């Protein structure tokens, strides 16, 4: 259905759009007349950057799950738990809703983001004929939207570390996983941002031409 | 878009083509960097990771995988990663990841144990584990040995961890009461070590325990050290009263042992040396001298004649100190003797050098030298009785300078051991002495003594059989009853206080009497006396003049007509002789004799015999009073009197100063007397004597002896009367009353009164002193008087005297004078009546009542003494209670259990806080919402 629609891209029209201010300039213009940013019809290393950030995010996500998210020191007793361990503890304590929220935010969203970005990048490279163009757009939009919600665990740790510092009775310190997780989220956001959505048009064109 | 070609737009050629033509993005550095960091961390972690060791424990109390740490000197050096069971489930194995730099020290000497909170009599330990949980404590030495992976953990903290310096010894005791787990090892009151858990000996004959002595005190323990149980209560009742010794609290609850090196020169000991724990210090010290010492040197000595009473093990004594013991005794017949063989006794004995204070040396040369020198100095071995009453013998090595024995020589050739010369057996000294004593006893004049004793006993018998003495027991009983009553009502506390105060007063009084002032006072008095004597001497020098004057007077007197006076006197005497030779007078001696006989009978009466005792008791009372006076203010008054005396002496001295003058006046007076007309006076006297003669010659006077005789007869009748016979008994009673009175006086304010009287005496003395102060004045007055006398017309006086004598003559010649004997007789009758009145008396009942009160007092005292056992029983009960109280602090006691349960509560509280914090961690909004 989508490939039946005739799409006129800016490049086909001999124009070039500025990604910063959205103004359109003639194709031979190298700099935006409004904001003086460089004008590119397509980001030249977009897919490379996507894969590089994606890989860094995945690497950072490994220690984020292996190491404790935060350590609780209660009357001299040190207690540390990882993300998944914390979720299991919460289920044991019958806090199922909180467990579901934490699991969704800390496991499901990052993992689905990795999968979605990887799928998008692969789809653009392979030029799949049967994938509708607007589906790619939908996935890209969703990934960009939910990226910010992945930081909920990091926020919890940050708030608790700041609030719960009752020196001897109980103190909470962020663990290695908190930093790793924050980095991982940041990397995946960078990865999503690096994906030039205009490549989708090219993919659609190629599919059409094919 | 078919018209679309890559050449239309130059940029398209770049982007539209595959990315292979595009240069690599710099962003690729980010994942590379991340991978690099990850690899670096992984390598670092792996490189720093130490090995895992396995430590097996009987129980994993409080050990949690991933939480329990391994500590060395309170620093974390490892973490328990896993807890598993051993294959046979007989133990749990803690897998501990230890730090890499520590792992190399974990060799065979390493020990592990679990630290838990512990409450014991010594205090609370491991309290930090209440909150943080148990941890595993490791201890190892600082030497790097062959590393080991498998260890067996200790049940409790080891007594001597490898990193602790000191020595481990073993203790053995018959009872485990004093050696308890953790009990202290004390040296001179300082804790220097600790006792491990005691174990029963396998044969069940005692208790053994390891003990650890901390460095540097381990050097105090040597082979001569002796251990004894310390601590606890000890109650001793001795001559100094009740003494209660209480050791420190830990010792009371836990026991403990004390040690000392009783004799010097002990060897250093090795680890695990066994010591015996004695019950007390005395036993421990004594044990030093009872041990069989391998260093002893054996000597022999030979006694002539078999002697019973010497046994193996008997003591060898040098200078009163036990220095060895007899090891062997053998009798043999000396065939070399010319008598054909005597039985000889060879005694071997072991001498211990250290008891002689000699340095220990392996060859015993010190002892040999010592013995040789001693023998050269005259030392011999001698048999002696162990004690006066025992027939057991011991060997004494003694150097007696009085003995005529020449120094012997050590015989080293004729026996297996060197033979010390001996003195002949002389055990009969005691019996010989006893015999001599018996001889002297036999020579005593016993018969005479017995005869005298018989006489005395007879006299005593008579005395005892007298009614007064017969009644005495009853009276004594009554007296005891009375005393009992007194004593029962007697509160000793004030008396003791008064006694104490009296003693203090007495001491201060003596100090006062002996003070400088009083001595100075006496000295000055003596000085005054001395000067007084000098004055008197001066006066004596002029006495010859006085004597001359007197001589003149005598000459004058000699010239008087005294002859006539003498003649008259002679006649008078003759008349008296006539009277005396009368039958009446002759009868008087008989009467007097009878009177004396009666009086003797009276005196011999039993009542009188009892009087001395009464008097003696009365004197005792008086003595008591005097003692009181002495201890009271009386001495002060005496001192004041002395001062007054001094003043008097001064006055007298001043008076004596004026004596020569007085003497002169007396001399003058005598001169005047010399000039008197004595002759007339003598004539008058002569006449008076004549009148007296006339009077005596009168019939009335002649009848006077008869009256006297009748009077004596009456007296005799009176004395012979029952009333007078009963008088001594009454007197005895009266004396008893007096004694009572004296006692009362003693008890009452009598002494105070006496003191007051002494004060009065003091005042009187002061008055006298004031009076004597006026003596010189008096002397002057006397002088004036003498002067006046000198001026008097003495002649008139003589004339008056003459007149007086004439009046006397008239008086003697009057009828009234003649009636005087009759009046005298009447007076004697009155005396008789008075004597009969004296029979009245009734104080015996009072005395009896008093004695009854004393008896009651004694009974009360006895009753008071009966309560003493009850008091002792109460004291015993008190100590039992105290012991029971201490027992409640034992290890399995309720106190301990409660302490542990309290700790458990604290732990539970800590867990609750942990849960709270986790809840906050998982539900942060509850902090904000308050739920």
């Amino acid at each position: 259905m989508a490939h039946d629609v005739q799409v006129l891209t800016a490049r086909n029209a001999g124009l070039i759009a500025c990604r910063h201010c959205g103004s359109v300039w003639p194709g031979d213009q190298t700099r935006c007349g409004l904001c003086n940013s460089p004008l590119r019809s397509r980001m030249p290393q977009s897919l490379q950057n996507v894969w590089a950030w994606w890989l860094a995010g995945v690497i950072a996500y490994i220690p984020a799950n292996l190491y404790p998210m935060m350590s609780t020191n209660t009357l001299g007793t040190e207690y540390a738990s990882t993300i998944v361990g914390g979720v299991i503890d919460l289920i044991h304590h019958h806090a199922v809703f909180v467990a579901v929220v934490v699991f969704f935010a800390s496991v499901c969203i990052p993992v689905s983001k990795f999968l979605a970005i990887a799928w998008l990048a692969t789809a653009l490279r392979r030029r799949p004929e049967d994938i509708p163009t607007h589906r790619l757009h939908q996935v890209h939009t969703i990934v960009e939207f939910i990226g910010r919600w992945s930081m909920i665990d990091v926020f919890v740790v940050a708030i608790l570390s700041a609030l719960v510092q009752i020196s001897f009775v109980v103190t909470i310190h962020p663990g290695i996983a908190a930093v790793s997780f924050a980095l991982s989220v940041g990397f995946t956001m960078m990865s999503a941002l690096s994906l030039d959505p205009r490549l989708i048009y090219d993919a659609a064109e190629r599919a059409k031409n094919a | 878009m078919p018209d679309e070609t890559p050449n239309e737009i130059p940029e398209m050629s770049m982007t539209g083509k595959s990315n292979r033509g595009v240069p690599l993005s710099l962003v690729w550095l980010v994942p590379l960097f991340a991978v690099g960091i990850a690899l670096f961390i992984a390598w670092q972690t792996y490189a720093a990771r130490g090995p895992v060791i396995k430590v097996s424990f009987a129980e994993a109390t409080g050990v949690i995988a991933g939480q329990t740490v391994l500590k060395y000197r309170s620093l974390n050096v490892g973490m328990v990663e896993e807890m598993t069971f051993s294959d046979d489930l007989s133990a749990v194995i803690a897998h501990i990841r230890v730090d890499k730099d520590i792992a190399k020290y974990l060799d065979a000497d390493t020990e592990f144990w679990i630290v838990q909170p512990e409450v014991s009599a010594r205090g609370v330990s491991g309290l930090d584990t209440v909150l943080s949980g148990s941890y595993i404590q490791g201890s190892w030495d600082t030497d790097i040995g062959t590393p080991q992976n498998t260890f067996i953990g200790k049940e409790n903290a080891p007594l001597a961890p490898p990193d602790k310096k000191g020595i481990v010894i073993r203790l053995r005791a018959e009872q485990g009461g004093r050696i308890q787990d953790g009990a202290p090892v004390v040296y001179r009151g300082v804790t220097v070590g600790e006792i491990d858990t005691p174990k029963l000996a396998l044969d069940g004959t005692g208790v053994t325990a390891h003990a650890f002595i901390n460095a540097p005190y381990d050097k105090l323990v040597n082979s001569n050290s002796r251990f004894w149980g310390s601590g606890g209560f000890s109650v001793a009742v001795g001559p100094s009263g009740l003494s209660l010794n209480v050791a420190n609290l830990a010792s009371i609850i836990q026991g403990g042992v004390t040690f000392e090196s009783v004799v010097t020169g002990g060897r250093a000991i090795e680890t695990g040396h066994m010591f015996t724990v004695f019950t007390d210090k005395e036993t421990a010290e004594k044990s030093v001298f009872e041990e069989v010492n391998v260093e002893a040197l054996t000597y022999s000595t030979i006694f002539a004649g078999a002697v019973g009473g010497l046994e193996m093990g008997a003591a060898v004594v040098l200078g009163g100190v036990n220095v060895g013991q007899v090891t062997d005794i053998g009798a043999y017949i000396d065939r070399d003797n010319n008598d054909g063989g005597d039985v000889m006794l060879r005694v071997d004995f072991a001498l211990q050098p250290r008891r002689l204070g000699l340095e220990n040396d392996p060859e015993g040369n010190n002892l040999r030298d010592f013995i040789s020198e001693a023998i050269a100095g005259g030392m011999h071995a001698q048999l002696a009785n162990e004690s006066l009453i025992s027939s057991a013998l011991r060997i004494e090595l003694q150097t007696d300078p009085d003995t005529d024995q020449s120094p012997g020589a050590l015989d080293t050739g004729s026996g297996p051991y060197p033979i010390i010369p001996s003195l002949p057996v002389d055990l009969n000294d005691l019996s010989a002495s006893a015999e001599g004593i018996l001889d002297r006893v036999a020579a005593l004049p016993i018969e005479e003594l017995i005869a005298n004793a018989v006489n005395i006993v007879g006299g005593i018998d008579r005395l005892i059989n007298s009614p007064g003495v017969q009644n005495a027991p009853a009276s004594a009983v009554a007296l005891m009853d009375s005393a009992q009553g007194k004593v029962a009502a007697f509160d000793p506390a004030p008396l003791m206080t008064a006694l104490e105060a009296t003693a203090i007063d007495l001491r201060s009084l003596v100090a006062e009497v002996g003070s400088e002032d009083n001595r100075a006072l006496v000295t000055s008095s003596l000085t005054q006396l001395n000067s007084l004597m000098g004055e008197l001497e001066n006066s004596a020098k002029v006495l010859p003049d006085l004597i001359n004057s007197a001589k003149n007077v005598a000459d004058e007197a000699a010239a008087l007509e005294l002859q006539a006076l003498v003649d008259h006197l002679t006649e008078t005497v003759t008349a008296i002789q006539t009277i005396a030779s009368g039958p009446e007078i002759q009868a008087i001696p008989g009467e007097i004799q009878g009177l004396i006989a009666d009086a003797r009978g009276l005196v011999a009466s039993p009542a009188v015999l009892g009087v001395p005792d009464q008097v003696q008791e009365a004197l005792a009372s008086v003595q008591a009073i005097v003692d009181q006076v002495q201890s009271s203010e009386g001495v002060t008054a005496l001192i004041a009197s002395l001062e007054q005396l001094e003043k008097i002496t001064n006055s007298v001295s001043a008076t004596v100063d004026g004596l020569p003058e007085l003497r002169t006046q007396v001399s003058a007076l005598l001169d005047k007397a010399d000039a008197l007309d004595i002759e007339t006076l003598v004539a008058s006297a002569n006449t008076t004597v004549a009148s007296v003669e006339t009077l005596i010659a009168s019939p009335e006077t002649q009848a006077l002896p008869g009256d006297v005789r009748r009077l004596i007869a009456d007296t005799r009748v009176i004395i012979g009367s029952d009333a007078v016979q009963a008088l001594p008994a009454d007197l005895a009673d009266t004396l008893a009353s007096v004694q009572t009175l004296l006692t009362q006086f003693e008890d009452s304010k009598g002494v105070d009164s006496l003191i007051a009287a002494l004060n009065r005496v003091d005042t009187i003395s002061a008055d006298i002193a004031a009076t004597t102060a006026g003596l010189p004045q008096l002397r002057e007055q006397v002088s004036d008087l003498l002067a006046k006398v000198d001026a008097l017309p003495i002649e008139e006086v003589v004339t008056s005297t003459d007149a007086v004598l004439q009046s006397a003559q008239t008086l003697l010649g009057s009828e009234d004078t003649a009636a005087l004997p009759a009046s005298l007789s009447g007076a004697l009758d009155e005396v008789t009546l008075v004597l009969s009145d004296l029979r009245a008396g009734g104080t015996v009942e009072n005395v009896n009542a008093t004695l009854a009160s004393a008896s009651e007092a004694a009974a009360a005292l006895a009753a008071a003494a009966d309560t003493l056992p009850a008091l002792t029983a109460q004291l015993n009960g008190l100590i039992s209670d105290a012991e029971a109280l201490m027992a409640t602090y034992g290890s399995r006691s309720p106190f301990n259990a409660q302490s542990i349960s309290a700790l458990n509560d604290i732990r539970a509280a800590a867990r609750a806080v942990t849960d709270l914090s986790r809840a906050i961690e998982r539900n942060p909004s509850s902090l904000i919402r308050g739920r």
Side-chain angles (χ1 to χ4, degrees), chain B residues 303-315:
Chain B
F303 298 106
V307 178
L310 186 66
E311 294 179 347
M312 285 175 63

Side-chain angles (χ1 to χ4, degrees), chain A residues 42-139:
Chain A
R42 299 289 182 269
M43 292 303 287
Q45 296 167 329
S46 175
L47 278 178
Q48 270 194 55
N49 290 348
V50 167
W51 283 115
W53 287 122
W54 181 86
L55 186 61
V58 170
I59 289 171
Y61 191 66
I62 293 168
N65 278 284
L66 290 182
Y67 285 93
M69 193 71 184
M70 69 180 183
S71 59
T72 309
N73 194 323
T74 309
L75 293 175
T77 306
E78 189 86 12
Y79 179 79
S81 62
T82 60
I83 294 172
V84 179
V87 170
I88 294 169
D89 274 359
L90 284 170
I91 292 171
H92 282 315
H93 285 83
H94 307 289
V96 179
F97 175 73
V98 181
V100 168
V101 169
V102 170
F103 184 76
F104 187 75
S106 301
V107 179
C108 294
I109 291 178
V111 170
S112 57
K113 251 172 78 177
F114 289 131
L115 293 176
I117 291 172
W119 181 75
L120 267 179
T122 312
L124 291 179
R125 174 62 65 85
R126 280 194 198 159
R127 301 167 187 163
E129 292 89 9
D130 53 346
I131 299 176
T133 309
H134 68 272
R135 177 68 52 82
L136 295 175
H137 267 289
Q138 275 178 347
V139 171

Side-chain angles (χ1 to χ4, degrees), chain A:
Chain A
M1 298 177 286
H3 55 272
D4 297 336
V5 179
Q6 183 64 38
V7 177
L8 177 65
T9 63
R11 189 169 59 176
N12 289 342
L15 296 173
I16 189 166
C18 176
R19 288 197 74 186
H20 279 109
C21 55
S23 54
V24 179
W25 301 93
D28 53 352
Q29 186 130 359
T30 58
R31 290 221 169 240
C32 176
L34 281 177
C35 58
N36 201 30
S37 57
L39 292 175
R40 295 280 175 79
S41 177
R42 299 289 182 269
M43 292 303 287
Q45 296 167 329
S46 175
L47 278 178
Q48 270 194 55
N49 290 348
V50 167
W51 283 115
W53 287 122
W54 181 86
L55 186 61
V58 170
I59 289 171
Y61 191 66
I62 293 168
N65 278 284
L66 290 182
Y67 285 93
M69 193 71 184
M70 69 180 183
S71 59
T72 309
N73 194 323
T74 309
L75 293 175
T77 306
E78 189 86 12
Y79 179 79
S81 62
T82 60
I83 294 172
V84 179
V87 170
I88 294 169
D89 274 359
L90 284 170
I91 292 171
H92 282 315
H93 285 83
H94 307 289
V96 179
F97 175 73
V98 181
V100 168
V101 169
V102 170
F103 184 76
F104 187 75
S106 301
V107 179
C108 294
I109 291 178
V111 170
S112 57
K113 251 172 78 177
F114 289 131
L115 293 176
I117 291 172
W119 181 75
L120 267 179
T122 312
L124 291 179
R125 174 62 65 85
R126 280 194 198 159
R127 301 167 187 163
E129 292 89 9
D130 53 346
I131 299 176
T133 309
H134 68 272
R135 177 68 52 82
L136 295 175
H137 267 289
Q138 275 178 347
V139 171
H140 183 246
T141 308
I142 290 170
V143 164
E144 283 217 326
F145 174 75
I146 65 175
R148 65 201 72 168
W149 291 102
S150 305
M151 295 296 266
I152 185 167
D153 242 14
V154 177
F155 289 149
V156 167
V157 171
I159 290 170
L160 283 181
S161 298
L163 281 182
V164 186
Q165 292 290 345
I166 311 165
S167 65
F168 176 69
V169 179
V170 54
T171 53
I172 293 178
H173 299 286
I176 298 172
V179 179
S180 303
F181 192 83
L183 282 174
S184 174
V185 171
F187 289 159
T188 50
M189 287 174 76
M190 290 300 291
S191 178
L193 278 177
S194 299
L195 185 68
D196 194 343
R198 291 173 296 193
L199 290 175
I200 299 173
Y201 313 149
D202 296 342
E205 258 179 33
R206 281 197 300 276
K208 194 176 166 184
N209 294 336

Side-chain angles (χ1 to χ4, degrees), chain B residues 618-650:
Chain B
L619 281 175
S621 299
V622 169
Q623 188 179 3
I625 294 170
V626 169
D627 286 345
Q628 286 194 12
V629 170
Q630 191 175 1
S631 63
S632 66
E633 297 173 1
V635 177
T636 314
L638 195 61
I639 289 166
S641 298
L642 277 173
E643 289 172 357
Q644 298 291 354
L645 190 63
E646 188 195 9
K647 287 181 191 169
I648 293 170
T649 309
N650 287 336

Side-chain angles (χ1 to χ4, degrees), chain B residues 45-261:
Chain B
T45 306
Y46 178 79
R49 197 163 82 147
V52 173
I53 59 169
K54 298 176 188 172
V55 184
S56 60
F57 293 101
E59 287 184 35
T61 312
V63 177
I64 302 168
Q67 283 193 18
T68 305
V69 295
L70 171 66
K71 288 193 177 185
Y72 175 70
R73 297 187 188 277
S74 299
L75 199 66
N76 291 2
V77 295
M79 170 77 78
V80 174
E81 292 191 336
E82 192 183 2
M83 296 295 294
T84 57
F85 284 107
S86 63
D87 293 338
D88 55 356
L89 296 181
S90 64
V92 290
I93 298 171
H95 301 256
I96 304 173
R97 175 78 66 184
V98 294
D99 290 357
K100 197 177 182 182
D101 46 354
I102 284 296
K104 58 188 174 188
Y105 293 102
L106 304 182
D107 48 17
D109 285 336
T110 309
E111 288 180 350
F112 297 95
W113 67 95
I114 298 172
V115 177
Q116 292 171 282
E118 184 187 2
V119 180
S120 67
R122 282 167 301 157
V124 181
S125 65
L127 195 61
D128 51 342
T129 62
V130 173
L131 298 178
S132 65
S134 303
Y135 58 87
I136 297 174
Q137 177 80 47
S139 177
W140 45 81
D141 54 23
T142 53
D143 301 327
I144 297 175
T146 309
Q148 209 172 327
N149 278 335
T150 310
F151 301 92
I152 296 174
K154 301 276 181 187
E155 252 179 82
N156 299 306
L159 184 68
D163 57 341
K164 211 169 168 185
K165 296 275 187 287
I167 192 166
V168 174
I169 58 173
R170 286 194 298 159
L171 298 176
R172 183 189 172 90
E174 289 187 6
Q175 296 288 331
R178 290 290 95 189
I179 49 176
Q180 292 286 337
D181 185 14
V185 178
V186 177
Y187 183 80
R188 296 189 189 281
V190 176
T191 300
V192 299
E194 198 176 333
I195 300 175
D196 201 359
T197 308
K199 296 187 176 95
L200 264 182
L202 290 179
D203 55 359
T205 57
V207 178
T208 61
H210 284 89
F212 185 75
I213 313 291
N214 298 320
Y217 304 118
D218 54 346
K219 294 185 178 61
L220 298 173
V221 188
N222 56 41
S223 61
N224 279 346
S225 297
R226 290 295 176 274
F227 288 72
W228 64 89
S230 62
F233 290 102
S234 73
V235 181
V237 180
S240 58
L242 182 73
S243 71
L244 175 67
N245 292 319
V246 183
N248 63 54
L249 196 60
S251 290
I252 290 168
I253 297 168
Q254 281 205 308
V257 295
T258 305
F259 75 91
E260 255 178 41
S261 295

